[in-house]
Amino acid sequence: MDICYYPGCTLKTKAKNLNLSTISSLANLDIEAKELSRWNCCGVVPSLASDDLLRLIAPVRNLARAKEEGYSQILTVCSMCYQTLAMANQIMQEDMEKRDIINNFMEEEGDYSGEVKVVHLLGFLRDEVGWDRLKIAVKIPLVGLKVAPYYGCTLIRPRQVGIEPLESLTLFRDFITAIGGIPVDFPSSTECCSSYQVVSNPEISDEVSSGILKSAEEWGADILISSCPLCEYNLGLRKREKKELPTLYFTQILALSLGLDEGSINLELNSDSAINFFKEKFKDVLC
Amino acid sequence: MSNPNTQNKDEKTASTSSNLIPVFIMGKRYDVPESLTIMKAMEYAGYKYIRGCGCRGGICGACATVYRKPGDYHIRVGLACQTVVEPDMYLTQIPFFPANRAAYDIKPIDKDPEEVFKKYPELFRCLACNACSKVCPMDIQVMDYISAIKQGEFEKATELSFDCIQCGLCASRCMAEMAQYHIAQMVRRITGSKIKPRAKHLNDVVSKIEKGKYDNIFKELKALDVNTLKKLYTEREMEPAATPEDWSPQKKDYL
Amino acid sequence: MTIEITDKTYNGEFVKKIEEIGGKDFHKCMQCGTCTGSCPMTYRMDISPRKIIHLSKFGLKEKVSGYNTAWICASCHSCEVRCPRSIDIPKIMEAIRQVTLRQNINYIEPSEISEDILHDLPQIALVGCFRKHTS
C-alpha cells in the first residue's frame, strides 16, 4: 500500500530522526510513504485573520499538487503541518468566495476544493493499519516502559480539525498499549509548549516546558513522546540546567518496538538524556 | 519595396523593410521599427545607455525591463537586449533593486543548511506566493529553489537556480522582502566548494604543472617563429569527427 | 484599574478592524474568565485574555495594542475550545496583532536575531514566529 507523504521542511533538516523513523516504520508495515514530488513549506501556523488569503496559498498549493498527482489522502507526521494543512483544507471546502479567489490567483496549480483528506499518522495507524495488526508486528514490546504521551495543541485543537475529540483522547493511549508500553495520563498532556514563542520570548518557553516535563515525571513517566519538531525542541532539545525527563518522537519508539535498526530509529539528533536513557534501557536490543 | 539606390532622402529615414510600431518609454510614445529589440528601440528613440547595460547578450542581467500591454493587468518582463518590441508596450527599465547581501567568508563555512539560514533569516518569511517565479525573465522556478533551500536540498537548489543572471526582479516583487538570488548564490557557492566532489584529474594535472612537466615544451614553443608555429598548428593531429571511446593521440607525452 | 471611556478614547475604527479581521463574536463575551483560566501564558501577560477582549469592545486601541497579551499568545486554542459562547478568541488575538503588524511595525526583527540562535532554532520555530510576529 502506498500513501502520499508530506514531511515538512524541518523533517528534512533538524528533525531527520522523525522523518526516517516514520518512513522506515511504515515500510516495515508494508506501507510506502511516497513523498509528494513538488512541495513547499506549509507555513507552520494557519492564518487566523478572516481577510487573509495570502497565507492560505502555501498550504493550499501542496494540497492542490497532491490532488494533481491523483492522491485522495495526504499523510503528515508533524503536528503543526497537520493543523495548517487541515485548516486550509477546511476553508477551501467551506468558503466558496475564498476558494474562488485563491484558485484564480494560483494560476500555476489546478483548481482545488478540498478533495484531498489530511491525515495524521496516529489516525492512519488506527484506521488503515489497526492496533491489532500493529501488535502482531511488534518484535520488541516496550515492557514496563512508562510513556507519557504529549499531544500538545495542534493535533487536537481547534475542534473542527482535531484528530480526535478532546473529551476522549484515546489515540496515543492505544498506540502505546499496542507497542507494549504503559501509557501515563498526566494533566499537562494537552498544554501548549509555547511553540513559536521560543523565538520571541524564550524564557516563557523554558518555564512552560519545564512545567510540562515536571508534570509527566510526577505522574511516573519514564519518557515523554511527541509528534512535533517544535514541541520536541522546546521540551527536549533546549539546554536547561536541571535534569529533565527524556523526550522522543513517537515514531522512534514505534521503530524500536518493530525491531528496526539504530539507523531507522535515528537517535543522534535527540537530546543526550534521551540517547543515554535508551542506550541504557535497550542496550541488548539496539543493534 | 523601393530600390535603396533610387530612394530619396525622405524615404531613407524610415527603414525600407520594417514597419514602425508605437511603444511607450516612461510614458512617452515613440514609433520604432518592429524588428528591433527593446534596447535598440530605446536607442533608436534617442536614449543612450551610458552605464550598466550591458553585455547585450542576455547574460549580465542589467537590462531587466518590465512592461504592460493595454487592456491587460498582467505584469510582463523581458531582457531589453533579447526581447523584440511589440505594439503598445508600456516600458520601464528596472534599475538595480537594492538587495541585501550577507557578508561571509566561504572557506570556513560548513555545508550545513543552518549556515545559510543564519545569514538570511528572511528566507523563512516566504509565503509561496510565486510572484518571484512569475517575474523571472529566465523562467527559473524561483519559488521551487527557495523551497529546496528551506528543505536543505542544496544540490537541487543549485540545479534549479543555475540560469540566474542576477537581474533582481524576483527581489523587487518578493512579499517577504528577500533577495532570492543572493541566497541562491550562497547556496551555489557552498554546493560547488563543499558538496560536489572535486575533479580528481584536475588535481593531477595541476600537480603535474607545478612539477614542471610542461615547462620545456612551452619554452620551445615560445622560441619558435610565426611561420613554424603556423605550420605546427595546421599540421597538428586532430580528434576525428566521430571519436570512438578508446581513441587517443599518437603523441602521449603530454597527456 | 480605572479606564476612561469617552468619545475621545473610544476608537470605532479599531473595533471595526477587529471585526473585519477577527469576526464579530467577541461582542458576545460575558466575561466569565474561562479563557484566562485555560490560557498557559496568562501568568506572563500584562492583562488577561478576558480583560483584553473587554477593552477591545470599548475600542481602546492604544491600551489594547500596548499590552503584551496578544504578543505572548501562542495560538494554542485552549481558550476557544472552552469558551461557553464559542467565541474564536485566537482570531481576536490575531486581529489585535495584525492591527499593529499591518502598520509595518514588527514585533520581532529577523535581522536582529543573533546568528547563534538562528543556527540552533529549528526552521519550524522561525517560520511560525515570523508569520505571527512580522508583517
Side-chain angles (χ1 to χ4, degrees), chain C residues 60-131:
Chain C
L60 296 170
K61 181 178 177 190
E62 278 70 37
K63 277 196 180 294
V64 170
S65 306
Y67 292 126
N68 72 358
T69 307
W71 300 108
I72 302 213
C73 167
S75 308
C76 74
H77 293 260
S78 301
C79 49
E80 183 203 345
V81 297
R82 297 220 183 112
C83 175
R85 289 258 161 106
S86 305
I87 299 171
D88 201 330
I89 302 161
K91 268 183 119 111
I92 308 295
M93 293 293 166
E94 182 93 334
I96 296 172
R97 286 191 293 262
Q98 287 293 322
V99 165
T100 303
L101 289 174
R102 287 180 190 188
Q103 294 172 291
N104 207 5
I105 301 169
N106 287 352
Y107 179 68
I108 187 164
E109 279 303 340
S111 44
E112 284 169 19
I113 305 177
S114 86
E115 283 194 8
D116 290 326
I117 294 178
L118 285 173
H119 188 106
D120 199 40
L121 287 167
Q123 288 112 303
I124 192 173
L126 291 167
V127 176
C129 174
F130 293 165
R131 285 277 178 121

Side-chain angles (χ1 to χ4, degrees), chain A residues 1 3-4 66 71-75 116-119 124 128:
Chain A
M1 174 187 184
I3 180 96
C4 175
Y71 293 113
S72 58
Q73 287 189 97
I74 187 167
L75 177 73
V116 177
K117 186 162 170 242
V118 183
V119 174
F124 185 78
E128 305 285 342

Side-chain angles (χ1 to χ4, degrees), chain C residues 26-73:
Chain C
F26 69 113
H27 291 300
K28 296 193 282 188
C29 172
M30 58 183 187
Q31 293 287 293
C32 67
T34 306
C35 51
T36 304
S38 317
C39 176
M41 308 291 159
T42 280
Y43 76 102
R44 281 292 202 122
M45 289 178 177
D46 293 334
I47 62 165
S48 65
R50 166 185 79 83
K51 285 188 184 153
I52 215 166
I53 304 269
H54 204 54
L55 294 179
S56 305
K57 280 198 232 178
F58 290 114
L60 296 170
K61 181 178 177 190
E62 278 70 37
K63 277 196 180 294
V64 170
S65 306
Y67 292 126
N68 72 358
T69 307
W71 300 108
I72 302 213
C73 167

Side-chain angles (χ1 to χ4, degrees), chain A residues 41-100:
Chain A
C41 172
C42 66
V44 173
V45 286
S47 169
L48 298 171
S50 308
D51 58 354
D52 184 10
L53 292 164
L54 187 61
R55 284 168 188 79
L56 281 173
I57 305 265
V60 172
R61 252 191 228 284
N62 295 311
L63 296 167
R65 288 180 193 155
K67 178 188 166 191
E68 283 286 301
E69 292 188 25
Y71 293 113
S72 58
Q73 287 189 97
I74 187 167
L75 177 73
T76 185
V77 98
C78 165
S79 315
M80 297 198 86
C81 294
Y82 171 76
Q83 190 201 48
T84 308
L85 290 171
M87 283 181 79
N89 210 21
Q90 202 182 33
I91 293 180
M92 292 304 270
Q93 283 164 353
E94 293 171 7
D95 192 326
M96 274 199 317
E97 200 185 317
K98 283 192 180 165
R99 183 201 313 162
D100 288 340

